[in-house]
Amino acid sequence: QVQLVESGGGLVQAGGSLRLSCAASGRTFSLWTMGWFRQAPGKEREFVAAIYWSSGNTDYADSLKGRFTISRDNTKNTVYLQMNSLKPEDTAVYYCAARLAGNSAYGYWGQGTQVTVSS
């Protein structure tokens, strides 16, 4: 089992920045990747970014490259999402997710944190 707790969401004006955090606990020794997803009202959940826990290699949704940066602190079992130049269309609930070694899908999810970007 892995428990994920997100923090850092809030209200920001367009053009501003926010940093989300996600702290993992439990079977963190089995972490393979951690990712961020988001779901806007009336839309399906979409992939934002992911980071391979051991190597630090990253992957991003094409539309978000250059504005969003994912990083991790292995010592704190925490993954971050730095979001810059925010746009109203970035408004969504942002979810942290974890995939354990040997699994093909993200099996653990946080409760989500609301990000609202005002125009």
Side-chain angles (χ1 to χ4, degrees):
Q1 286 277 18
V2 174
Q3 294 77 43
L4 303 172
V5 178
E6 299 115 330
S7 60
L11 174 64
V12 64
Q13 288 188 334
S17 299
L18 278 177
R19 189 176 82 154
L20 306 182
S21 301
C22 174
S25 60
R27 289 183 58 190
T28 56
F29 57 88
S30 295
L31 284 173
W32 185 247
T33 59
M34 289 190 71
W36 288 97
F37 294 76
R38 68 184 185 182
Q39 186 167 20
K43 296 187 177 181
E44 294 187 351
R45 187 175 298 184
E46 64 175 350
F47 170 75
V48 173
I51 188 164
Y52 287 83
W53 202 247
S54 179
S55 67
N57 290 340
T58 58
D59 189 22
Y60 294 91
D62 288 342
S63 62
L64 299 176
K65 287 180 181 177
R67 293 196 300 122
F68 288 16
T69 303
I70 189 171
S71 62
R72 87 240 192 271
D73 184 335
N74 298 61
T75 65
K76 297 181 180 180
N77 292 321
T78 298
V79 64
Y80 304 97
L81 183 68
Q82 178 67 43
M83 305 183 293
N84 298 327
S85 302
L86 284 163
K87 305 174 181 180
E89 51 263 42
D90 293 319
T91 295
V93 178
Y94 284 71
Y95 296 92
C96 173
R99 181 169 66 133
L100 302 186
N103 289 274
S104 60
Y106 287 92
Y108 300 92
W109 295 82
Q111 80 284 358
T113 186
Q114 177 70 46
V115 171
T116 302
V117 184
S118 63
S119 57

